[in-house]
Amino acid sequence: MTYSLLYRGFLSSCNYSCGYCPFAKRIESRARLHRDRQSVERFANWIAEQTSDQWKILFTPWGEALTRSWYRTALTRLSHLPQVQRVSAQTNLSCGVRWINDCNLERLSLWTTFHPSEVSAVAFAAKVIELRGQGVQLSVGMVAIPGALSDVDAMRDRLPPDVNMWLNAQQPRRRPFTEDEVARFSRIDPYFPLTLRPERSLGRPCPTGEVSFTVDGDGDMRRCHFVDSVIGNIYTPNWRASLMPRVCPNASCKCFLGTSQLLSTNSASALSNRLALLEH
Ligand code: SF4
Ligand code: SF4
C-alpha cells in the first residue's frame, strides 16, 4: 500500500513575523523543543521500519521547521529510504541550504513560501534559482492579499518559468478581491479561484483516514488537519486497523491540502492536479 502522510509535531514557532500569522516570532521553551526533537526522531525511526508499504510524507509544521536541525536530519534520512517515494516540507526557505547536498534529490521537494514583509523578492528568488541549479524540486507559494498584486508580480517575474507558483487567498481578508485581481492572480496560478471559497464536503467520500492521514508528535493519527478526532496511533501494532473508507463529517473543506483529498467533483480534481504540481 502507498500511504500519504502529513506530519505536524509539537513545534509552533517561527523566526519570521508575518502579519497574517499566529506563529510570528513565537518563542518556544527548550523543553518543548526537546520534546519536538524526540518526536521527530521517533517518527523517522518508525518510517524506517515500515518497509512493507510505500510512503509520501509532507511536513506541515505550525511555524518554521527547517531552521531546526532535527527536521533537516529527518528529511535527509527519509529521502534515502527505499520505501519513501517522496518527502517534502513546507518552509519559508530562511534556513541554510548546505544540508540539501546530503539528500536524495529525486525524492526531496520543498514547498517554499515567499513572505514579502520578511525577505526581499531579489534575495528569495536568488535562493530559489540557486537551489534549482542544484536540481532541487520546489514550488513557490504566496498568500494572495487584495491590493497586493505587485508583490506577486515581482516574485513571478524573478522566478524561472519551470518553477510553479501557487497563490492562496488570504483568509479572512479585509475586502473581497476585485474581478481584475482574480483574473490577474489566476494568470499566475490557474487554481487560485478554488481557494476563494471553501469546498462543500459534508457526507462526501474522502480518502483521508484510508490511504492518507496526519500524524502528530505523539503518533496520534487523524484523517486530516481539519477533523480533530483521533482515529489511531502509529506506535501501536494495529495502526492499519484504523484506516477505512469514510465520508467527510465537516460542512466544508477549507484548505486545498484537504480539498485535494475529496473525491467526485471537478474542482477537487483540479485541486488534486494542483497538489501534484506542488509535489514536483
Ligand atoms: S513564515 Fe510562515 S509560519 Fe513563519 S510567521 Fe510567516 S506565515 Fe507564519
Ligand atoms: S473532505 Fe476535507 S475536511 Fe473532510 S475529511 Fe476530507 S480532507 Fe478532511
Side-chain angles (χ1 to χ4, degrees), residues 208 214 222-230 248-250:
T208 58
T214 72
R222 294 175 178 78
R223 297 187 57 183
C224 65
H225 286 322
F226 311 98
V227 177
D228 201 38
S229 316
V230 174
C248 179
N250 289 359

Side-chain angles (χ1 to χ4, degrees), residues 20 91-92 112-116 119-121 124 140-143 151 155:
Y20 41 66
T91 176
N92 62 23
T112 75
T113 305
F114 169 55
H115 301 285
V119 58
S120 74
F124 187 92
V140 174
M142 285 183 70
V143 178
D151 287 333
M155 180 48 56

Side-chain angles (χ1 to χ4, degrees), residues 13-25 61-64 91-92 113 115 118 143:
S13 59
C14 186
N15 55 330
Y16 278 4
S17 53
C18 307
Y20 41 66
C21 180
F23 306 107
K25 288 284 185 195
W62 288 133
E64 176 56 36
T91 176
N92 62 23
T113 305
H115 301 285
E118 308 302 301
V143 178

Side-chain angles (χ1 to χ4, degrees), residues 237-249:
N238 62 344
W239 63 270
R240 281 187 186 79
S242 59
L243 298 173
M244 61 189 76
R246 292 177 162 98
V247 296
C248 179

